[in-house]
Amino acid sequence: MHAVGHELVKKGVGKVVYVTSEQFINDFVSSMRSKMTDAFKKKYRQVGALLIDDVQFFGGKDSTQEEFFHTFNELTNKSAQIVMTSDRKPQDIVGLEDRLKSRFLGGMSVDIGLPDYEMETCYLETESTRDKSGSGGRSLRTNGKQF
């Protein structure tokens, strides 16, 4: 998620905000208690990109979902980027409003699973030869062993 945020910054989308769903929920509840909802809206709606981790935790949180619905709509209307992660598909999130499921499904969904053996090997070889410190890097020797 952080890599996505860094790329968005490089592309010049404007302010990029990364937050976990728990932090979003806590910020929302805090803003309601302190009657500072305008500051909350400014923080999350005046951005070029909003990145939210673990949106499955919005399930069953009606007030948070209402606020996120309006935040989502405002960002979409401004053509801002919204990137969300979840450990399940939108239609499988218990307690998530249908209107949010519909919006989540309207975007691009990608299932990022565990890499297969070939992908892992390629990654390890690439990382082992990358010159990170200016010292020329190190080569990976397998000596015929699988890792």
Side-chain angles (χ1 to χ4, degrees), residues 16-85:
V16 176
V17 172
Y18 165 83
V19 65
T20 63
S21 61
E22 180 182 19
Q23 187 61 51
F24 185 91
I25 293 166
N26 291 341
D27 286 353
F28 175 65
V29 169
S30 177
S31 75
M32 294 295 288
R33 286 184 180 149
S34 64
K35 298 184 183 340
M36 301 284 293
T37 56
D38 287 339
F40 174 87
K41 290 175 184 178
K42 182 178 180 181
K43 176 179 180 177
Y44 290 107
R45 296 183 185 183
Q46 294 182 1
V47 299
L50 178 61
L51 287 65
I52 300 188
D53 234 340
D54 297 321
V55 295
Q56 72 271 11
F57 295 119
F58 285 171
K61 308 246 183 332
D62 295 338
S63 297
T64 300
Q65 288 184 53
E66 178 73 23
E67 181 58 37
F68 187 70
F69 174 79
H70 294 295
T71 299
F72 189 100
N73 285 342
E74 186 164 328
L75 292 174
T76 301
N77 289 339
K78 294 191 315 188
S79 298
Q81 295 287 317
I82 304 169
V83 179
M84 300 175 287
T85 66

Side-chain angles (χ1 to χ4, degrees), residues 74-137:
E74 186 164 328
L75 292 174
T76 301
N77 289 339
K78 294 191 315 188
S79 298
Q81 295 287 317
I82 304 169
V83 179
M84 300 175 287
T85 66
S86 176
D87 64 3
R88 58 192 71 125
K89 297 175 184 172
Q91 60 269 32
D92 296 336
I93 300 175
V94 177
L96 187 66
E97 294 178 4
D98 287 341
R99 62 185 182 168
L100 282 177
K101 288 180 186 180
S102 170
R103 277 160 179 73
F104 293 0
L105 290 167
M108 182 174 72
S109 294
V110 178
D111 183 13
I112 302 175
L114 295 173
D116 59 16
Y117 175 76
E118 290 80 14
M119 179 63 76
E120 241 181 285
T121 302
C122 180
Y123 174 77
L124 288 172
E125 287 174 349
T126 301
E127 285 300 303
S128 69
T129 59
R130 182 181 285 176
D131 185 6
K132 295 181 181 176
S133 64
S135 64

